[in-house]
């Protein structure tokens, strides 16, 4: 069974204080690992897809990395508008097209 | 272009009533997915459509839940004889249908069963 565990559950940062969110996964044959951002009352917004260990992707203040067991979402010099819940999901070759999600990390960036 | 749209955005119903939730995918996307997000739980997969057929409906929690897709576009998720535990946000996503594709989500329908 595919499993995704995100940590920490909640993270509070000061504006400009860089940090990382963790996504540990267990899957039989990774097809892709996805990061989404979800604001309150809205649907998840796509951020990144990573396909193989060693891959990295960047977008503004965010950088996602992938190893064979986990992914990190690095947030550099965050701003209050980065406050949201960040969701990690995996897609396995054995599970077809479905995504298996972690429970998310709720990030709050204080000014 | 337009993203995934869902209607209604909010639905309040009484226990035992039937509800229909609608999803309009991104134009041209052949794959469509339904997920459910409950308080304190992550998103859970319900059903996947490729075109009008559903090769994976293993996530539907009971036979009260059904879904269909017509014309390779709009999908309807129906919950019969709603129960209080059905209260959740129901999210629809679509993807181009090619290998290793990204799923794009709609805003969701918030269902409250009283």
């Amino acid at each position: 069974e595919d499993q995704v565990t995100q940590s920490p559950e909640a993270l509070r940062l000061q504006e400009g204080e860089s940090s990382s969110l963790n996504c540990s996964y267990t899957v039989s044959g990774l097809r892709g690992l996805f990061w989404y951002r979800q604001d309150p009352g809205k649907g998840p917004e796509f951020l990144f897809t990573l396909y193989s260990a060693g891959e990295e992707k960047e977008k503004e203040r965010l950088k996602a990395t992938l190893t064979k067991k986990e992914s990190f979402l690095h947030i550099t010099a965050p701003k209050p508008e980065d406050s949201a819940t960040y969701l990690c999901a995996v897609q396995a070759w054995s599970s077809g097209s479905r995504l298996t999600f972690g429970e998310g990390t709720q990030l709050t960036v204080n000014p | 272009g337009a993203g995934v749209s869902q209607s209604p955005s909010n639905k309040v119903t009484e226990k035992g009533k039937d509800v229909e939730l609608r999803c309009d995918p991104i134009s041209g996307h052949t794959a469509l997915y339904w997920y459910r997000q409950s308080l304190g739980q992550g998103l859970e997969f319900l059903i996947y459509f490729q075109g009008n057929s559903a090769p994976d409906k293993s996530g539907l929690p009971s036979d009260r839940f059904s879904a269909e897709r017509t014309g390779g576009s709009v999908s309807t998720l129906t919950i019969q004889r709603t129960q209080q535990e059905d209260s959740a946000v129901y999210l629809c996503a679509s993807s181009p249908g090619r290998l290793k594709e990204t799923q794009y989500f709609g805003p969701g329908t918030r269902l409250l069963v009283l």
Side-chain angles (χ1 to χ4, degrees), chain A residues 42-54:
Chain A
K42 297 191 176 181
E45 175 190 345
F46 170 71
L47 294 174
F48 302 108
T49 308
L50 301 166
Y51 295 114
S52 56

Side-chain angles (χ1 to χ4, degrees), chain A:
Chain A
E1 183 182 340
D2 306 331
Q3 289 190 332
V4 178
T5 303
Q6 293 189 244
S7 61
E9 291 184 10
L11 180 63
R12 192 175 291 270
L13 301 173
Q14 287 299 122
E15 184 172 2
E17 180 187 1
S18 301
S19 188
S20 296
L21 312 182
N22 178 263
C23 171
S24 297
Y25 64 91
T26 303
V27 65
S28 54
L30 182 70
R31 186 169 165 181
L33 184 140
F34 301 81
W35 282 98
Y36 289 87
R37 167 194 171 127
Q38 187 173 27
D39 293 297
K42 297 191 176 181
E45 175 190 345
F46 170 71
L47 294 174
F48 302 108
T49 308
L50 301 166
Y51 295 114
S52 56
E55 190 174 0
E56 299 182 352
K57 289 196 175 170
E58 286 188 70
K59 178 181 178 181
E60 296 181 352
R61 296 177 293 283
L62 299 177
K63 179 180 177 180
T65 62
L66 180 65
T67 73
K68 289 187 177 179
K69 293 184 178 180
E70 57 192 350
S71 177
F72 291 94
L73 185 64
H74 306 277
I75 303 177
T76 301
K79 299 182 177 182
E81 53 263 41
D82 295 323
S83 297
T85 295
Y86 290 84
L87 299 170
C88 173
V90 296
Q91 191 178 55
W93 287 106
S94 61
S95 302
S97 295
R98 67 166 65 188
L99 294 178
T100 299
F101 281 85
E103 295 197 13
T105 293
Q106 186 174 0
L107 174 67
T108 303
V109 182
N110 295 315

